[in-house]
Amino acid sequence: MKNFLKNHGLWVLFAAAVISVALAVMSFFSNTSAPLSNLAGVLASPFRSAYTSVATWFNDKQNYYKDNTALEEENAALRKQLAEMEKAIRQAEEDSAENERLRELLNLQKKREDFEFESAYITEHTVTNWTSSLTLDKGTKHGVEVKDCVIDETGALVGVVSEVGYNWCTVLTIVDTDTSLGAQVFRTKDLGLAVGDFSLMEERRLRLDYLPAGCQLLGGDLVETSGLGGYYPAGLVIGTVEEVQKDDSGTTSYAILEPAVDFDGLTEVFIIKSFDIVP
């Protein structure tokens, strides 16, 4: 026996260790689950973790996409609602402006019952270094004639008809260089001649020439047509005095006038086809 242990002791110890480990493993498996089932679970565990991670990532992405899609749809709905509100506001502003224009026109018609009006729409604006004119959609067919005055709804002078066709006419604005109108300063009653000027036309300004010596004009003084000579009706607003200057000789004064008309905002005007001449 001693010789056997001496010769085979290491192998006996190794066998005992292997048996002990096997018994321990079997004991563990038997206390938890069936050996094959447990082994399968151990092998599948990493795959389950990977599947769970992928599924969680996919669900997160899907939820993110749904949230983004819902947010985009909400933004689109809000943009549409905002556009509709802006459209409604613009329409309200246009309606308000139209109502104001009609009220002013009604007041003008009440004030100037001596005028026979013909409404016309502007079809073309022409502004060059040499001229400032408008083309209207009314002509001889509607009783329009050369030298008819054209005003806006407030009664401010826009210009004078210079050429007429069957269903159109050309109007030289009051800042055109060919414009020449008898004018009167409302406050002082000083008379002058409102004329277009090359150097001022681009700035939408005109001159009031031939002012009497010693006239005392102030900035903001209202200037109207004088009506002298009977060519044009009296009392049409031309504009206001912007500044008074001396000519090159230093002996004569002239005024720079700012027109009362907003040329850029004009779409519709009124042609005075006839008027009663005030004696």
Side-chain angles (χ1 to χ4, degrees), residues 121-126 133-137 168-171:
Y121 285 96
I122 297 172
T123 59
E124 184 179 5
H125 289 255
T126 302
S133 65
L134 307 172
T135 302
L136 310 183
D137 64 350
W168 61 271
C169 67
T170 299
V171 176

Side-chain angles (χ1 to χ4, degrees), residues 132-146:
S132 172
S133 65
L134 307 172
T135 302
L136 310 183
D137 64 350
K138 297 295 173 67
T140 56
K141 173 185 176 182
H142 309 92
V144 178
E145 298 178 355
V146 172

Side-chain angles (χ1 to χ4, degrees), residues 151-165:
I151 61 176
D152 68 3
E153 67 274 8
T154 68
L157 184 61
V158 174
V160 178
V161 175
S162 63
E163 187 177 5
V164 185

Side-chain angles (χ1 to χ4, degrees), residues 103-115 117:
R103 281 195 297 270
E104 290 177 339
L105 178 59
L106 182 61
N107 291 333
L108 176 63
Q109 289 173 332
K110 288 179 178 179
K111 291 177 181 177
R112 303 303 303 258
E113 293 180 351
D114 55 325
F115 289 171
F117 295 106

